């Protein structure tokens, strides 16, 4: 009898002790981890987004710190998402300014609830931007999820986005030529990093004025990687049936066939240069002549040798700046050429921007340059500088 009793006694004592020890180890580890308020990027981040599923984000090989913020921290920082703290409204939800108790200022993108697209882009942005570090890319500090709430937390940039300045008649006078050239060059450096110098080749797919944020010194930072695609260093292009992006910035091969590559980003960048120089939007442009877009108008003036008419009237230029403006327009037109193979790479663009002695090639006609104010049955063709005479239908964003 003593044998069974002894075994029962051991089981009665040892098993509870083991359970207590295991609970202690688990609780100690959990408490230590969450007291820090962040997770190392070397760990795999698992965020509960829905009750029955987990979002697994493989974030490794980085020395940065990615923070998983509590919902209560974000509420306090943004003053319960007050109207006074709202910075703007994006396609996937509002953006709020916030400030943590230690003084750190943040921008919180609050994705709209029950948005399948928002959920997909949330995952994509965390996966991609956590791997990227460059002075011309916006810094993602962390994220926050609770139930249907999904939020991305960025560094706060006080001067908002480029479109806030460049398309406003009064505010764009604050951007002299040197500032505009700095924004063009900085954005080019950021795209070059994405295309060539980051660990993986990244195609942004939504380069536009509203996605270029400006810091306190007006340095540009590329933002919004929700639509970005990541490739190995050997891949150069991809194809999709779901064309997403912004009308006016989409390369023709992407808008019509779903083909995207580093050259489609170059096209968007070329459009952006023209918008920065003119202070006018490409999409819906119809203020000069009968052109519906800025590309056609720019091409016409370039062919006529009257390109200086493109330059924003608020810019006062000396002869040196005029030369820089002409080179930038030339680079922009090279970047928006209809055939992707004719466009330069971002390496080429950066080299052309940094050297005033480099001889630039003459551009061929841009995409969409035939689109004019005309009857639907007969779009008039622009007077070409070259022998090319291709009719292009106006693409519709899908």
């Amino acid at each position: 009898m003593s044998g069974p009793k002894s075994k029962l006694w051991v089981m009665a004592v040892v098993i509870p002790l083991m359970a207590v020890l295991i609970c202690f180890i688990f609780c100690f580890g959990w408490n230590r981890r969450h007291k820090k308020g962040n997770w190392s990027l070397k760990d795999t981040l698992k965020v509960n987004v829905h009750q029955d599923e987990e979002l697994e984000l493989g974030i490794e090989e980085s020395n940065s710190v990615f923070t998983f913020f509590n919902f209560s921290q974000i509420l306090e920082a943004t003053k319960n998402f007050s109207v006074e703290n709202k910075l703007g409204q994006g396609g996937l939800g509002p953006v709020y300014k916030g400030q943590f108790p230690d003084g750190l200022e943040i921008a919180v993108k609050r994705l709209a609830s029950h948005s399948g697209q928002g959920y997909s882009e949330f995952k994509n942005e965390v996966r991609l931007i956590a791997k990227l570090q460059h002075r011309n890319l916006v810094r993602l500090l962390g994220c926050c999820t609770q139930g249907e709430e999904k939020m991305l937390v960025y560094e706060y940039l006080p001067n908002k986005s480029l479109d806030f300045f460049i398309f406003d008649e009064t505010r764009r006078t604050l951007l002299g030529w040197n500032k505009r050239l700095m924004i063009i060059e900085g954005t080019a450096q950021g795209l070059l990093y994405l295309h060539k110098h980051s660990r993986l080749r990244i195609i942004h797919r939504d380069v536009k004025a509203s996605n270029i944020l400006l810091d306190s010194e007006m340095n540009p930072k590329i933002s919004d990687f929700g639509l970005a695609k990541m490739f190995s260093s050997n891949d150069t292009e991809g194809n999709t049936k779901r064309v997403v992006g912004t009308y006016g910035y989409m390369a023709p091969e992407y808008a019509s066939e779903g083909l995207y590559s580093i050259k489609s980003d170059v096209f968007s960048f070329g459009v952006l240069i023209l918008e920065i120089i003119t202070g006018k939007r490409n999409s819906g442009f119809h203020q000069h002549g009968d052109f519906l877009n800025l590309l056609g108008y720019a091409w016409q003036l370039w062919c006529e040798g009257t390109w200086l008419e493109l330059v924003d009237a608020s810019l006062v230029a000396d002869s040196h700046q005029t030369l820089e403006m002409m080179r930038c327009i030339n680079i922009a037109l090279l970047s928006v050429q209809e055939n992707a193979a004719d466009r330069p790479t971002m390496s080429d663009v950066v080299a052309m921007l940094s050297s005033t002695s480099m001889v630039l090639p003459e551009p061929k006609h841009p995409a969409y340059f035939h689109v004019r104010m005309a009857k639907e049955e007969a779009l008039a063709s622009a007077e070409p500088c070259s022998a090319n005479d291709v009719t292009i239908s106006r693409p519709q964003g899908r």
Side-chain angles (χ1 to χ4, degrees):
M1 294 293 291
S2 61
K5 286 183 178 180
S6 177
K7 290 179 180 178
L8 289 173
W9 182 85
V10 170
M11 291 174 66
V13 174
V14 172
I15 291 176
L17 284 175
M18 289 296 292
V20 170
L21 181 61
I22 291 170
C23 288
F24 174 78
I25 292 172
F26 174 79
C27 291
F28 178 78
W30 184 92
N31 187 53
R32 185 178 179 183
R33 189 177 191 179
H34 286 264
K35 271 186 177 179
K36 291 180 180 178
N38 61 62
W39 291 347
S40 168
L41 288 179
K42 293 182 179 179
D43 297 328
T44 297
L45 177 63
K46 294 184 178 180
V47 184
N48 291 323
V49 179
H50 300 291
Q51 292 180 352
D52 300 323
E53 76 180 293
E54 286 185 330
L55 168 60
E56 295 183 358
L57 305 171
I59 307 174
E60 66 259 350
E61 298 181 13
S62 173
N63 295 322
S64 299
V65 174
F66 184 93
T67 303
F68 180 38
F69 296 100
N70 294 324
F71 186 60
S72 58
Q73 289 178 286
I74 303 300
L75 279 179
E76 182 181 357
T78 60
K79 297 180 180 178
N80 293 324
F81 300 108
S82 66
V83 176
E84 293 78 12
N85 278 36
K86 188 173 181 180
L87 295 173
Q89 179 73 36
L92 297 176
V95 180
Y96 295 88
K97 181 183 178 181
Q99 186 173 20
F100 288 132
D102 63 1
L104 177 65
E105 292 184 314
I106 58 172
V108 181
K109 182 191 288 185
R110 188 183 190 187
L111 279 68
S113 300
H114 308 290
S115 170
Q117 183 182 1
Y119 174 58
S120 173
E121 294 185 9
F122 170 81
K123 291 190 296 182
N124 196 54
E125 182 136 5
V126 175
R127 283 193 180 113
L128 284 182
I129 201 170
K131 301 174 186 288
L132 307 177
Q133 289 187 357
H134 191 274
R135 68 187 302 270
N136 295 117
L137 303 183
V138 70
R139 190 158 57 100
L140 180 66
L141 304 178
C143 70
C144 174
T145 67
Q146 178 167 306
E148 294 294 329
E149 290 279 5
K150 300 177 290 293
M151 286 162 280
L152 295 166
V153 182
Y154 304 92
E155 62 176 324
Y156 172 68
L157 298 174
N159 282 319
K160 301 186 178 182
S161 56
L162 178 59
D163 65 325
F164 178 76
F165 287 91
I166 208 70
F167 300 134
D168 183 88
E169 218 169 291
T170 302
R171 287 190 288 265
R172 71 167 171 261
T173 61
L174 302 174
L175 294 180
W177 173 247
N178 289 334
K179 289 284 187 185
R180 298 193 199 199
L181 182 59
M182 181 181 72
I183 291 169
I184 290 170
E185 291 175 338
T187 305
Q189 290 287 352
L191 285 173
L192 176 60
Y193 170 79
L194 293 177
H195 290 178
K196 186 174 181 180
H197 299 309
S198 62
R199 187 167 62 87
L200 292 172
R201 187 190 304 271
I202 294 173
I203 300 171
H204 189 280
R205 294 206 303 168
D206 201 19
V207 177
K208 59 182 178 180
S210 59
N211 282 341
I212 307 299
L213 304 185
L214 303 170
D215 68 11
S216 58
E217 297 179 349
M218 305 301 282
N219 293 304
K221 292 178 181 282
I222 301 171
S223 70
D224 202 338
F225 288 77
L227 303 181
K229 289 290 185 180
M230 185 166 49
F231 293 89
S232 69
S233 58
N234 295 324
D235 294 327
T236 58
E237 65 178 32
N239 182 268
T240 181
K241 292 182 179 179
R242 178 174 171 258
V243 175
V244 288
T246 304
Y247 178 70
Y249 294 94
M250 287 191 284
E253 69 275 8
Y254 179 54
S256 61
E257 302 174 56
L259 291 172
Y260 56 87
S261 67
I262 57 173
K263 295 296 186 73
S264 51
D265 272 358
V266 170
F267 181 92
S268 303
F269 178 69
V271 173
L272 183 65
I273 293 178
L274 290 176
E275 292 184 333
I276 291 172
I277 292 173
T278 63
K280 305 294 183 183
R281 296 182 189 272
N282 178 42
S283 180
F285 179 85
H286 53 80
Q287 297 185 10
H288 296 275
D290 56 0
F291 285 96
L292 281 172
N293 63 63
L294 182 57
L295 303 188
Y297 181 62
W299 174 247
Q300 182 186 51
L301 294 186
W302 181 262
C303 291
E304 294 173 352
T306 56
W307 55 266
L308 196 57
E309 294 180 27
L310 275 174
V311 179
D312 181 7
S314 70
L315 294 175
V316 179
D318 56 30
S319 58
H320 174 67
Q321 290 177 331
T322 302
L323 178 61
E324 289 177 337
M325 292 172 183
M326 183 182 72
R327 288 183 65 83
C328 284
I329 293 172
N330 194 342
I331 293 168
L333 289 173
L334 288 170
S335 300
V336 298
Q337 292 176 107
E338 183 179 29
N339 190 337
D342 292 332
R343 298 172 208 148
T345 63
M346 287 311 303
S347 296
D348 299 327
V349 168
V350 169
M352 289 187 285
L353 286 169
S354 61
S355 173
T356 56
S357 61
M358 181 184 294
V359 178
L360 303 184
E362 275 294 315
K364 299 176 184 177
H365 70 76
Y368 315 130
F369 82 102
H370 283 83
V371 180
R372 290 185 172 217
M373 296 281 286
K375 294 181 180 180
E376 292 181 3
E377 61 270 16
L379 291 177
S381 295
E383 288 296 327
C385 280
S386 65
N388 296 314
D389 189 19
V390 182
T391 302
I392 308 165
S393 60
R394 186 180 185 185
Q396 299 297 325
R398 286 180 279 175

